[in-house]
Amino acid sequence: MRRLPRWAWCAAVGWGTVDAVTYTALRGAASQSVSRSVAAGRLGLCSLPVLLTRPVFSSPVLAFLCGRNFRAALPPVTMPDRRPFERLPTDVRPVNYGLCLKPDLIDFTFEGKLEATVQVKNATNQIVMNCADIDIITASYAPEGDEEIHATGFNYQNEDEKVTLSFPSTLQKGAGMLKIDFVGELNDKMKGFYRSKYTTAAGEMRYAAVTQFEATDARRAFPCWDEPAIKATFDVILIVPKDRVALSNMNLIDRKPYPEDENLVEVKFARTPIMSTYLVAFVVGEYDFVETRSADGVLVRVYTPVGRAEQGKFALEVAAKTLPFYKDYFNVPYPLPKIDLIAIADFAAGAMENWGLVTYRETALLIDPKNSCSSSRQWVALVVGHELAHQWFGNLVTMEWWTHLWLNEGFASWIEYLCVDHCFPEYDIWTQFVSADYTRAQELDALENSHPIEVSVGHPSEVDEIFDAISYSKGASVIRMLHDYIGDEDFRKGMNQYLTKFQEKNAATEDLWESLEQASGKPIAAVMNTWTKQMGFPLICVESEQSEDSVVLKLSQKKFCASGADNSDDSYQWMVPISICTSESPASATVKILMDKPEMTVVLEGVKPHQWVKLNPGTVGFYRTQYSSEMLESLLPGIRDLSLQPVDRLGLQNDLFSLARAGMINTVEVLKVMEAFVNEPNYTVWSDLSCNLGILSTLLSHTDFHEEIQCFVRDVFAPIGQRLGWDPKPGEGHLDALLRGLVLGKLGKAGHQPTLEEARRRFKEHVEGRNALSADLRSPVYVTILKYGDSSTLETMMKLHKQADMQEEKNRIERVMGAIADQELIKKVLSFSLSEDVRPQDTVSVIGGVAGGSKLGRKCAWSFVKDNWEELYNRYQGGFLISRLIKLSLDGFASDKMATEIKAFFDAHPVPSAERTVQQCCENILLNADWLKRDAEAIHHYLLQRKASSSTV
């Protein structure tokens, strides 16, 4: 599953960039019982000798608390106070599911028939399965060649989402057929089998029936053994209105009239390979499609809303290039005859890798050649690459249990970049990886309330909290480091061995390490266990001594903490692949070593006194570096004269900024370094610089000298803004478009008068229809005119939102509305977030945009969240969107008092699924408060001194 972009609105409001395409995300929320009226009244498919119902299903209580001080020598960390949990008994196992579903798109119910071929492994008189929000009508078991035995009782264990079918006699060992008739609800919670609202070209409101099963929601669509290791084949039949498209994992093999209703058809799909339940999918709705065949003969289709097939062509092109790329990379063919990619209107995650039927948010799949910006094209390419990687890594070979989720998601989050680099080398995507994934993972992993990559999961309800930047971005970063340590050839050899050995089976993290170890001959498990089984990462401290024509480096490692390096606890230790380069060859390592002890000495021969030495070229190793003052001084000219690689200029600045946040150096030193970027041409370097200045600007919004940091931002960004101008020049490409949007948005939000005036002029022409804004300029223009706009500006933006027929444009507007400065208008935007005009999954973006827009916006957003907590919690119960809402509403505060208030609120309004998020937010707020107390005065003095000296020049 692909997380959502890490605050695409960051770019729009002038913080980071839309390419910070990766932060948190996953699946929808909530559980809701099927109504008794549904069970009693809509049973055309089911026989009705008896109707058994059950109590309303309540959302499970999560207890997935943060862990700390984990050691590499220990097994995967078990979180404290977890709910008691037992996996399903092994007495009965499915071989094949014969599944027939009949969704009702008017009354939002569905009827189901399950005929499952099963193997009774041990004699038993009961069958335990997963089941949630479903009412079973009848159940029976027929041993092969023997009479049917009807179940005499259904015992629902609501909290554990299980049902026990009791039989009057013992089911003997051997094969048999389990039959279950059941009913359920097409819920509105974006999980399980749910309804998704859309509007036809004629303006009529209609609904599609769609699925989202990862992690544990197949059980909301049909009773099943809903654990990733319990694999089976699936034969799916859908009974649907004859004017609707019906899709499932496999190709259609039969479509015929449904004898009981002339308006319905029965659609039958081919049998799937052996697969896990969470990868099953079905969609019923109205769609157009575009299609092609990949170079290796796979039928590829992209399904779009009706009338928008053209918007599927870019994703189709990417998918058709991606399938052969992965086939060649893994040396394993794609095993299905087709793959469909489909845009779903209401979708909580970015996308979901269902085998052969990949579901996406509209904004993660659809591209309009005229109205989509460059960052959207890049985002679509990355998400398509991510989900198609899962077709091998996750679908063909599946994690044995959710403990190994990181391997699925971390690997896909790494290889999506490899794929996009292959398809679009002009994107410079690996530099963007460092800004989008690597540094974001380090921000989170430096907290006391982080967690190891590999967390022992018990109850499946604990899974939600590990779909985070640790599983995805840190996972991707350590795999990138591992790939570099092994080398591409041996890495590919090991991957092929792993996929071949475990295809259609399940595997654990250790299985991959074993394959890579055999292929490379290197101690992979020993190295990687230090990165996956303990949380955090090292700070490598470096000192150098010149000895004639050689340099002696003294290296030491200690755990990096957001509150300052952890000097009190030396039991954290990593096996760190260290690369070292010099100014003679900045892009390649002179020396590579494995640092497997707390301290090491390295001698570099042939290094003259005037040459600089740098660790971690390419910013591949997952660690931060603290140089001696002399070494740092020698590196800084490489920023101004560009002799350092872009990714290393970025990494150096980001390390210094993080050291300042942690109180290990003064923030003023970082501001001085930032001024050295005056000649910087690289988009991603500017992106990271912008994001860090945004963080600093938010911090200083709590002071009375916020305008001074805005002046600093204008001074830093004005020269590059002047060079770029507003209009594309001949020969410019993708990265120039991204850079222009970033810089103009930053200058506009900081109050750069020429930018503000030009933004207003262009916006006026856009609204009047005289000269439409290019898609790449819309976010920076919108945020600028809103930041300094009034009620009529907001009214105009709301009209543009209403008129927009593309979700990308609606989202673009939603994310920047919070830039408005007036308190009453801020409240109007917040009310708008819960209106029918905003899709449920996008409410969070609107509220987050307000909280990130200003100090006043942050205060209003938090009040709004508290006042509307019941509605918001009911909308997102238990899912990842509630965690995201909390994070975005709270992260910018900077006082002990606010941390206390927030803790008290969530003590009174517990959110078990977001408990770690609340702890992380409170920790960040206290860290911000310390940072402000520590450095505010020095920053103010520096900014005033700088201003005075510039005015005398």
Side-chain angles (χ1 to χ4, degrees), residues 171-190:
L171 312 182
Q172 298 300 327
K173 288 173 68 172
M177 178 69 71
L178 175 66
K179 296 182 180 180
I180 301 176
D181 291 350
F182 58 93
V183 293
E185 178 189 19
L186 290 174
N187 68 69
D188 61 353
K189 306 299 182 184
M190 296 183 284

Side-chain angles (χ1 to χ4, degrees), residues 73 742 914:
L742 170 73

Side-chain angles (χ1 to χ4, degrees), residues 2 32 107 163-164 211 215 308 329 495 688 697 779 882:
R2 188 56 161 90
Q32 184 172 333
D107 289 345
V163 64
T164 300
T211 56
R308 292 161 67 184
Y329 195 84
M495 289 304 308
D688 198 71
S697 179
S779 282
I882 200 75

Side-chain angles (χ1 to χ4, degrees), residues 204-376:
E204 181 187 350
M205 193 72 71
R206 291 185 184 171
Y207 290 84
V210 303
T211 56
Q212 170 58 41
F213 289 164
E214 191 179 20
T216 57
D217 290 315
R219 63 194 66 178
R220 300 180 197 282
F222 56 100
C224 57
W225 288 262
D226 200 12
E227 296 182 359
I230 307 179
K231 290 189 168 188
T233 57
F234 292 81
D235 294 312
V236 175
I237 294 174
L238 299 175
I239 298 169
V240 303
K242 62 184 180 183
D243 61 347
R244 297 296 195 268
V245 172
L247 301 171
S248 189
N249 303 82
M250 295 297 289
N251 50 298
L252 182 150
I253 56 173
D254 190 27
R255 181 184 175 99
K256 62 186 180 184
Y258 181 57
E260 296 179 28
D261 188 334
E262 64 179 9
N263 295 312
L264 301 179
V265 291
E266 184 176 300
V267 183
K268 186 176 182 181
F269 300 91
R271 177 168 291 186
T272 70
I274 297 168
M275 61 188 284
S276 303
T277 49
Y278 80 89
L279 296 168
V280 175
F282 15 90
V283 174
V284 180
E286 296 176 284
Y287 299 95
D288 286 342
F289 68 85
V290 288
E291 70 176 16
T292 189
R293 284 197 181 269
S294 67
D296 38 4
V298 178
L299 178 63
V300 185
R301 285 182 173 177
V302 174
Y303 284 84
T304 73
V306 172
R308 292 161 67 184
E310 288 288 311
Q311 294 176 14
K313 286 187 173 178
F314 178 73
L316 185 71
E317 174 197 339
V318 176
K321 288 180 180 177
T322 297
L323 283 174
F325 172 76
Y326 287 143
K327 177 193 171 186
D328 292 344
Y329 195 84
F330 298 131
N331 197 21
V332 175
Y334 175 72
L336 276 60
K338 63 93 175 176
I339 188 159
D340 298 327
L341 295 73
I342 185 166
I344 304 298
D346 291 320
F347 198 76
M352 175 62 207
E353 67 266 20
N354 317 298
W355 214 357
L357 176 57
V358 186
T359 46
Y360 295 79
R361 274 194 181 197
E362 289 185 5
T363 50
L365 190 68
L366 304 181
I367 291 295
D368 182 326
K370 292 182 180 177
N371 294 301
S372 289
C373 59
S374 300
S375 57
S376 293

Side-chain angles (χ1 to χ4, degrees), residues 452-496:
I453 283 179
E454 200 171 338
V455 176
S456 183
V457 174
H459 199 286
S461 62
E462 298 168 356
V463 175
D464 275 359
E465 278 207 309
I466 58 170
F467 276 92
D468 64 0
I470 300 298
S471 293
Y472 283 77
S473 295
K474 183 180 179 183
S477 297
V478 298
I479 287 172
R480 175 172 171 254
M481 177 173 66
L482 174 65
H483 173 265
D484 184 70
Y485 172 60
I486 293 176
D488 188 63
E489 185 179 343
D490 286 345
F491 188 86
R492 291 173 71 165
K493 194 188 305 178
M495 289 304 308
N496 172 261

